Short mmCIF file of all heavy atoms in Angstrom, two decimals:
data_model
loop_
_atom_site.label_atom_id
_atom_site.label_comp_id
_atom_site.label_asym_id
_atom_site.label_seq_id
_atom_site.Cartn_x
_atom_site.Cartn_y
_atom_site.Cartn_z
N ALA A 97 39.54 -7.97 -66.96
CA ALA A 97 38.71 -7.14 -66.11
C ALA A 97 38.60 -5.72 -66.60
O ALA A 97 37.53 -5.14 -66.67
CB ALA A 97 39.25 -7.20 -64.68
N LEU A 98 39.77 -5.20 -66.99
CA LEU A 98 39.73 -3.79 -67.51
C LEU A 98 38.88 -3.69 -68.78
O LEU A 98 38.08 -2.69 -68.93
CB LEU A 98 41.14 -3.31 -67.83
CG LEU A 98 42.02 -3.13 -66.61
CD1 LEU A 98 43.48 -2.80 -67.00
CD2 LEU A 98 41.46 -2.02 -65.66
N GLY A 99 38.88 -4.67 -69.61
CA GLY A 99 38.04 -4.64 -70.83
C GLY A 99 36.57 -4.66 -70.46
O GLY A 99 35.72 -3.92 -71.00
N THR A 100 36.21 -5.58 -69.50
CA THR A 100 34.82 -5.66 -69.09
C THR A 100 34.32 -4.38 -68.43
O THR A 100 33.26 -3.89 -68.70
CB THR A 100 34.66 -6.90 -68.16
OG1 THR A 100 35.06 -8.09 -68.86
CG2 THR A 100 33.19 -7.02 -67.68
N ILE A 101 35.18 -3.81 -67.59
CA ILE A 101 34.85 -2.63 -66.88
C ILE A 101 34.59 -1.48 -67.90
O ILE A 101 33.73 -0.65 -67.66
CB ILE A 101 35.97 -2.25 -65.81
CG1 ILE A 101 35.87 -3.21 -64.72
CG2 ILE A 101 35.81 -0.81 -65.35
CD1 ILE A 101 37.16 -3.19 -63.86
N GLY A 102 35.41 -1.48 -68.94
CA GLY A 102 35.30 -0.43 -69.94
C GLY A 102 34.04 -0.43 -70.76
O GLY A 102 33.57 0.52 -71.34
N ARG A 103 33.37 -1.65 -70.87
CA ARG A 103 32.25 -1.75 -71.75
C ARG A 103 30.90 -2.17 -71.12
O ARG A 103 29.83 -2.10 -71.73
CB ARG A 103 32.54 -2.74 -72.85
CG ARG A 103 32.67 -4.18 -72.47
CD ARG A 103 32.84 -5.13 -73.66
NE ARG A 103 33.06 -6.49 -73.21
CZ ARG A 103 34.22 -6.98 -72.81
NH1 ARG A 103 35.32 -6.27 -72.92
NH2 ARG A 103 34.26 -8.19 -72.32
N GLU A 104 30.94 -2.44 -69.81
CA GLU A 104 29.73 -2.90 -69.06
C GLU A 104 29.39 -1.96 -67.95
O GLU A 104 30.25 -1.36 -67.33
CB GLU A 104 29.96 -4.24 -68.46
CG GLU A 104 30.25 -5.40 -69.48
CD GLU A 104 29.07 -5.86 -70.29
OE1 GLU A 104 27.91 -5.62 -69.87
OE2 GLU A 104 29.34 -6.49 -71.33
N ARG A 105 28.08 -1.83 -67.72
CA ARG A 105 27.55 -1.13 -66.53
C ARG A 105 27.54 -2.19 -65.39
O ARG A 105 26.83 -3.22 -65.54
CB ARG A 105 26.22 -0.53 -66.78
CG ARG A 105 25.67 0.26 -65.59
CD ARG A 105 24.20 0.57 -65.64
NE ARG A 105 23.46 -0.63 -65.57
CZ ARG A 105 23.14 -1.28 -64.44
NH1 ARG A 105 23.65 -0.96 -63.34
NH2 ARG A 105 22.38 -2.37 -64.49
N LEU A 106 28.18 -1.92 -64.32
CA LEU A 106 28.28 -2.87 -63.22
C LEU A 106 27.82 -2.22 -61.94
O LEU A 106 27.96 -1.08 -61.69
CB LEU A 106 29.74 -3.25 -63.03
CG LEU A 106 30.42 -3.96 -64.27
CD1 LEU A 106 31.93 -3.96 -64.06
CD2 LEU A 106 29.86 -5.32 -64.50
N ASP A 107 27.16 -3.08 -61.14
CA ASP A 107 26.70 -2.62 -59.83
C ASP A 107 27.71 -2.95 -58.71
O ASP A 107 27.68 -2.37 -57.65
CB ASP A 107 25.38 -3.30 -59.50
CG ASP A 107 24.30 -2.96 -60.48
OD1 ASP A 107 24.05 -1.72 -60.65
OD2 ASP A 107 23.67 -3.83 -61.08
N LEU A 108 28.62 -3.87 -59.02
CA LEU A 108 29.67 -4.24 -58.07
C LEU A 108 30.74 -5.00 -58.76
O LEU A 108 30.51 -5.78 -59.70
CB LEU A 108 29.07 -5.23 -56.98
CG LEU A 108 29.99 -5.82 -55.99
CD1 LEU A 108 30.56 -4.79 -55.03
CD2 LEU A 108 29.28 -6.88 -55.15
N VAL A 109 31.98 -4.74 -58.27
CA VAL A 109 33.16 -5.53 -58.74
C VAL A 109 33.71 -6.25 -57.50
O VAL A 109 34.04 -5.66 -56.50
CB VAL A 109 34.25 -4.67 -59.39
CG1 VAL A 109 35.46 -5.51 -59.73
CG2 VAL A 109 33.68 -3.99 -60.60
N LEU A 110 33.72 -7.60 -57.67
CA LEU A 110 34.33 -8.47 -56.58
C LEU A 110 35.74 -8.75 -57.11
O LEU A 110 35.95 -9.44 -58.09
CB LEU A 110 33.51 -9.78 -56.58
CG LEU A 110 33.62 -10.63 -55.32
CD1 LEU A 110 33.06 -9.91 -54.09
CD2 LEU A 110 32.79 -11.92 -55.51
N LEU A 111 36.73 -8.18 -56.45
CA LEU A 111 38.08 -8.03 -56.97
C LEU A 111 39.17 -8.73 -56.06
O LEU A 111 39.35 -8.40 -54.97
CB LEU A 111 38.44 -6.61 -57.13
CG LEU A 111 39.82 -6.27 -57.64
CD1 LEU A 111 40.04 -6.72 -59.10
CD2 LEU A 111 40.03 -4.73 -57.58
N ASP A 112 39.90 -9.68 -56.68
CA ASP A 112 41.08 -10.20 -56.09
C ASP A 112 42.26 -9.23 -56.42
O ASP A 112 42.21 -8.60 -57.47
CB ASP A 112 41.44 -11.62 -56.65
CG ASP A 112 42.57 -12.29 -55.91
OD1 ASP A 112 43.04 -11.80 -54.89
OD2 ASP A 112 42.97 -13.39 -56.40
N LEU A 113 43.24 -9.13 -55.56
CA LEU A 113 44.34 -8.25 -55.82
C LEU A 113 45.51 -8.95 -56.50
O LEU A 113 46.28 -8.27 -57.24
CB LEU A 113 44.86 -7.64 -54.56
CG LEU A 113 43.93 -6.69 -53.82
CD1 LEU A 113 44.54 -6.20 -52.59
CD2 LEU A 113 43.43 -5.58 -54.65
N MET A 114 45.63 -10.27 -56.35
CA MET A 114 46.74 -11.05 -56.93
C MET A 114 46.23 -11.64 -58.25
O MET A 114 45.61 -12.69 -58.23
CB MET A 114 47.20 -12.12 -55.95
CG MET A 114 47.49 -11.64 -54.58
SD MET A 114 49.19 -11.09 -54.31
CE MET A 114 50.05 -12.60 -54.54
N LEU A 115 46.53 -10.95 -59.35
CA LEU A 115 46.02 -11.35 -60.64
C LEU A 115 47.13 -11.39 -61.71
O LEU A 115 48.06 -10.58 -61.60
CB LEU A 115 44.95 -10.36 -61.16
CG LEU A 115 43.71 -10.23 -60.33
CD1 LEU A 115 42.88 -9.01 -60.81
CD2 LEU A 115 42.84 -11.49 -60.46
N PRO A 116 47.00 -12.27 -62.70
CA PRO A 116 47.98 -12.21 -63.78
C PRO A 116 47.71 -11.12 -64.74
O PRO A 116 46.63 -10.53 -64.79
CB PRO A 116 47.80 -13.59 -64.45
CG PRO A 116 46.36 -14.06 -64.11
CD PRO A 116 46.09 -13.37 -62.78
N LEU A 117 48.75 -10.70 -65.53
CA LEU A 117 48.74 -9.78 -66.60
C LEU A 117 48.71 -8.31 -66.08
O LEU A 117 49.47 -7.47 -66.35
CB LEU A 117 47.66 -9.98 -67.66
CG LEU A 117 47.68 -11.38 -68.30
CD1 LEU A 117 46.54 -11.49 -69.31
CD2 LEU A 117 49.00 -11.57 -69.00
N VAL A 118 47.63 -7.94 -65.35
CA VAL A 118 47.44 -6.65 -64.74
C VAL A 118 47.01 -6.97 -63.29
O VAL A 118 46.00 -7.65 -63.07
CB VAL A 118 46.40 -5.78 -65.43
CG1 VAL A 118 46.17 -4.48 -64.71
CG2 VAL A 118 46.85 -5.49 -66.90
N ASP A 119 47.70 -6.44 -62.29
CA ASP A 119 47.36 -6.78 -60.87
C ASP A 119 46.06 -6.04 -60.50
O ASP A 119 45.68 -5.08 -61.10
CB ASP A 119 48.50 -6.61 -59.93
CG ASP A 119 48.84 -5.11 -59.61
OD1 ASP A 119 47.94 -4.27 -59.67
OD2 ASP A 119 50.01 -4.85 -59.36
N GLY A 120 45.47 -6.59 -59.35
CA GLY A 120 44.24 -6.04 -58.90
C GLY A 120 44.29 -4.61 -58.47
O GLY A 120 43.34 -3.81 -58.60
N LEU A 121 45.45 -4.20 -57.94
CA LEU A 121 45.56 -2.79 -57.49
C LEU A 121 45.44 -1.82 -58.70
O LEU A 121 44.80 -0.77 -58.61
CB LEU A 121 46.86 -2.59 -56.76
CG LEU A 121 47.04 -1.20 -56.05
CD1 LEU A 121 45.95 -0.98 -55.07
CD2 LEU A 121 48.40 -1.13 -55.39
N GLU A 122 46.02 -2.24 -59.84
CA GLU A 122 45.93 -1.42 -61.02
C GLU A 122 44.52 -1.36 -61.54
O GLU A 122 44.01 -0.37 -62.04
CB GLU A 122 46.85 -1.89 -62.14
CG GLU A 122 46.96 -1.01 -63.31
CD GLU A 122 48.07 -1.33 -64.31
OE1 GLU A 122 49.08 -2.02 -63.91
OE2 GLU A 122 47.90 -0.98 -65.45
N VAL A 123 43.81 -2.49 -61.48
CA VAL A 123 42.38 -2.55 -61.80
C VAL A 123 41.61 -1.61 -60.95
O VAL A 123 40.75 -0.81 -61.38
CB VAL A 123 41.84 -4.05 -61.73
CG1 VAL A 123 40.28 -4.01 -61.91
CG2 VAL A 123 42.51 -4.91 -62.75
#
Side-chain angles (χ1 to χ4, degrees):
L98 291 173
T100 301
I101 290 164
R103 71 177 175 273
E104 299 286 342
R105 185 196 62 77
L106 302 165
D107 297 305
L108 174 68
V109 176
L110 200 63
L111 178 65
D112 187 8
L113 295 180
M114 308 272 295
L115 297 169
L117 302 180
V118 175
D119 72 30
L121 189 59
E122 189 172 334
V123 172

